Amino acid sequence: MTQTLDRPDSTPAPARPKWYRRPWIVPLFAVAGLFVAARLPFYLTFDTGDSLVELQPANPETHYLMLSAHILFGSVALITCSMQVWTWLRQKHPKVHRISGRLYVFLGVVPSGIFALVVSIMSTVGPDGKIGNVLLSLLWFATTFAGFLAARRHDFQAHRRWMIRSFALCWSIVVNRVWIVLLLVILLPFKDSYYGGDMDALVADVAVASIWLSWIVNLMIAQWWLDRRPKRRARNTPATKVAAA
């Protein structure tokens, strides 16, 4: 006869990693801080001429005001969502994690997402770009509130999965700029042939493509990450000790 014996003392629990042993956390906060510092000041001057994106000719002041509000609250979302994925902060300071999580949802996602919907409709990009931005905003709402409700149910596994997806969508605004540069490099050789020398048409295609690629690719990477981690943890789990009775 055999039986499984529980021997908790035979496999000591792994030590929690120090905050500095997450090599991605410092670059993450550095990029978030630099992005906010580079964008936000242009939308705090109340001067439509400072806008970094083209404003709607019919209502430039309203467009600029909506855009400024979206970026202000979006900056809060970008910083606080980066805090949410910091393992050391979540484990060592759970109260800070909870507070920053509520700030992310109610002072970041909710107001920034609402203004994002308005800005998406007012945007000067074509219908395909508007649809991409509206879908991004709606998915950002959906994943964030799915994660928030999961936490309220104390289903922390589901909470973590949904908030990683929310994080991926939040950071699509940063990744969008990377896609713009990459697509410009790819398409510029075709300016004279395919676009007939029309740089405006090329830039318009780059803008639309970057909108869709930024959040779709981010979601795909997030889902890949979620799908692979349980398998990796399973491989690292010690084998159950079996002894003869």
Side-chain angles (χ1 to χ4, degrees):
M1 178 180 178
T2 61
Q3 68 178 127
T4 301
L5 300 180
D6 295 327
R7 300 179 59 187
D9 57 334
S10 61
T11 53
R16 291 176 176 178
K18 302 294 184 181
W19 70 268
Y20 54 81
R21 290 182 181 173
R22 299 283 179 171
W24 48 267
I25 198 66
V26 172
L28 181 75
F29 277 101
V31 172
L34 288 172
F35 186 82
V36 170
R39 310 288 295 184
L40 185 58
F42 292 95
Y43 298 94
L44 298 178
T45 63
F46 301 102
D47 183 354
T48 57
D50 288 336
S51 176
L52 298 177
V53 300
E54 183 180 354
L55 300 176
Q56 189 184 83
N59 300 288
E61 292 84 5
T62 302
H63 191 181
Y64 178 79
L65 182 62
M66 297 295 103
L67 190 60
S68 298
H70 163 62
I71 292 174
L72 176 61
F73 292 113
S75 298
V76 175
L78 190 65
I79 298 299
T80 52
C81 86
S82 300
M83 296 174 66
Q84 291 304 100
V85 297
W86 190 1
T87 305
W88 176 86
L89 183 68
R90 184 173 67 249
Q91 293 177 345
K92 294 294 186 179
H93 301 281
K95 185 175 181 180
V96 176
H97 175 75
R98 290 193 296 270
I99 293 173
S100 64
R102 291 186 177 93
L103 289 175
Y104 173 61
V105 175
F106 297 109
L107 198 60
V109 177
V110 171
S112 182
I114 291 173
F115 285 115
L117 287 171
V118 177
V119 169
S120 298
I121 296 171
M122 298 185 71
S123 174
T124 58
V125 300
D128 39 4
K130 292 177 188 289
I131 293 171
N133 277 327
V134 168
L135 283 176
L136 166 59
S137 301
L138 294 176
L139 285 171
W140 194 26
F141 273 127
T143 54
T144 302
F145 275 94
F148 176 75
L149 293 175
R152 298 286 292 178
R153 297 193 307 268
H154 298 282
D155 185 353
F156 296 112
Q157 183 177 1
H159 167 71
R160 172 183 166 275
R161 294 177 69 86
W162 281 115
M163 294 310 288
I164 286 177
R165 297 182 182 110
S166 176
F167 169 86
L169 292 171
C170 183
W171 267 76
S172 67
I173 187 63
V174 178
V175 177
N176 175 271
R177 274 57 187 176
V178 178
W179 278 112
I180 287 175
V181 174
L182 181 61
L183 290 169
L184 281 173
V185 171
I186 293 172
L187 293 180
L188 273 176
F190 301 96
K191 174 187 172 184
D192 295 327
S193 56
Y194 183 82
Y195 289 97
D198 190 347
M199 188 64 183
D200 290 338
L202 186 151
V203 170
D205 280 353
V206 166
V208 172
S210 66
I211 289 171
W212 287 91
L213 287 170
S214 62
W215 63 266
I216 290 177
V217 173
N218 273 21
L219 271 185
M220 291 174 65
I221 293 173
Q223 194 59 47
W224 167 81
W225 175 258
L226 289 170
D227 289 342
R228 74 180 282 272
R229 282 181 64 86
K231 296 177 183 177
R232 186 173 68 181
R233 285 199 298 269
R235 287 198 301 268
N236 293 336
T237 302
T240 305
K241 302 294 184 180
V242 179

